[in-house]
Amino acid sequence: MTTRRGDSLDRANQLVATLTERMADPQPAPKGPLYTGIDLGTANVVLTVVDAQGNPVDAAYTFAQVVRDGLVVNYVAAVDIVRKLKAQLEERLGQELLYGAAAYPPGTGGRDVKTHQYVAEAAGFEIISMVDEVDAANRVLGFTNGAVVDVGGGTTGISILQDGQVVHTADEPTGGTHFSLVVAGAHQVSFEEAEQMKRDAARHREILRLVTPVIQKVGSIVARHIARYDVETVCLVGGTSKLTGFEEVLAKEVGRPVIKPAEPLFVTPLGIAMAAAKAGEDL
Ligand code: ATP
């Protein structure tokens, strides 16, 4: 049975909308245990908190360059950032955050997965689950058939689902950083300035034109991975997919409908926290 597209995105949109409302207007922590998702990304470190039922409670994030292509490259700075975001959330919620899950890009090997775990543990979390990033995203999307594509800062993660089972995963080094480099080159500005330009929705039409070849590259990667499978729909998540019009260019490349939630940046981080809450049921 194919997932009905509207249903899947309605649920994800509702969950992420609740999370962003809580971030804008923090509420006292609900009774009972809380669970945190720790997402160490190439561009952003995001901590997301849910209650024991997996309902969104709060989140905090910061731009950071402590991970490259899914690997932790600055361990000390990564621990420091996670510790600060943890303290910030604890102060807002009036409760200590103990249990967490951390995530790794699909296909990451054992030692590199452990490094993500050690960062979270050194920052004061008890890690009760390690989860694949695209698998985490799918906890929010609830896709049963199709491809989930997570275009982050450094990489594009792909997960193909058939009848609710993940049948193929991959992570390839093309992401938002490459978009920013193209924008920086075209406008003769620094990488940081290009990042700012890229995030300005008012400039998205112009940016889209510049980065179309990079989206086509992402498309060729996705097309290669889905070729052997019966994929009807592709669902886009990750911060880079916030670029207006990304989905239309990608749809042309992969020859299939491409959908994306209203706020694709928080889908994976929220799913990581939900994985922690699920693991908490067995404690
Ligand atoms: P990775 O998963 O590759 O390790 P990450 O988890 O840090 O990286 P995300 O947080 O999903 O990745 O996305 C970060 C990327 O999203 C950055 O390249 C950033 O420039 C881009 N981005 C964020 N907001 C926007 C926006 N409004 N428009 C365009 N791009 C955006």
Side-chain angles (χ1 to χ4, degrees):
M1 195 186 83
T2 302
T3 301
R4 282 179 295 153
R5 287 175 214 155
D7 287 356
S8 181
L9 286 190
D10 284 350
R11 177 173 177 274
N13 286 340
Q14 186 55 53
L15 283 165
V16 178
T18 305
L19 179 68
T20 50
E21 277 160 25
R22 292 299 194 92
M23 289 165 76
D25 180 20
Q27 308 284 322
K31 283 206 165 53
L34 296 177
Y35 297 91
T36 307
I38 298 107
D39 186 9
L40 296 175
T42 308
N44 294 311
V45 174
V46 189
L47 264 57
T48 312
V49 183
V50 300
D51 66 15
Q53 287 73 46
N55 300 309
V57 170
D58 204 349
Y61 69 106
T62 185
F63 179 77
Q65 291 186 304
V66 292
V67 167
R68 203 169 297 141
D69 295 343
L71 308 179
V72 176
V73 291
N74 190 335
Y75 180 84
V76 174
V79 172
D80 189 49
I81 288 167
V82 175
R83 199 178 277 139
K84 281 188 181 136
L85 290 173
K86 180 175 185 284
Q88 194 180 314
L89 286 164
E90 287 173 340
E91 189 174 336
R92 282 215 298 247
L93 294 166
Q95 190 172 318
E96 191 190 0
L97 297 171
L98 178 59
Y99 297 117
Y104 53 88
T108 307
R111 262 226 320 261
D112 297 320
V113 172
K114 280 280 177 211
T115 314
H116 285 247
Q117 179 174 343
Y118 295 151
V119 168
E121 288 175 346
F125 284 106
E126 186 174 324
I127 293 302
I128 55 174
S129 177
M130 289 299 295
V131 60
D132 170 311
E133 283 170 4
V134 191
D135 184 36
N138 202 41
R139 283 172 192 265
V140 179
L141 297 167
F143 243 38
T144 51
N145 284 286
V148 178
V149 173
D150 185 348
V151 191
T155 62
T156 293
I158 300 152
S159 185
I160 299 173
L161 291 122
Q162 282 180 352
D163 298 324
Q165 300 296 316
V166 176
V167 293
H168 179 74
T169 59
D171 198 57
E172 299 225 11
T174 301
T177 301
H178 305 83
F179 289 51
S180 301
L181 290 171
V182 168
V183 174
H187 284 275
Q188 293 292 296
V189 294
S190 69
F191 179 81
E192 287 71 24
E193 284 172 281
E195 274 284 317
Q196 291 308 321
M197 287 169 72
K198 212 180 60 174
R199 290 166 196 231
D200 178 359
R203 302 191 74 146
H204 274 184
R205 185 193 283 260
E206 169 214 346
I207 303 285
L208 185 72
R209 194 170 39 78
L210 284 177
V211 301
T212 288
V214 195
I215 301 178
Q216 287 167 336
K217 166 85 188 301
V218 171
S220 72
I221 291 169
V222 175
R224 177 159 45 80
H225 284 284
I226 66 179
R228 286 189 294 128
Y229 299 93
D230 179 19
V231 171
E232 192 191 316
T233 307
V234 171
C235 183
L236 255 186
V237 294
T240 297
S241 46
K242 279 173 77 86
L243 186 67
T244 317
F246 187 123
E247 61 278 26
E248 279 103 33
V249 180
L250 191 68
K252 269 192 207 135
E253 286 302 306
V254 299
R256 290 164 175 82
V258 175
I259 56 171
K260 75 175 178 188
E263 177 39 274
L265 179 68
F266 290 113
V267 172
T268 303
L270 178 58
I272 302 169
M274 288 164 72
K278 183 82 187 115
E281 289 174 3
D282 301 328
L283 289 180

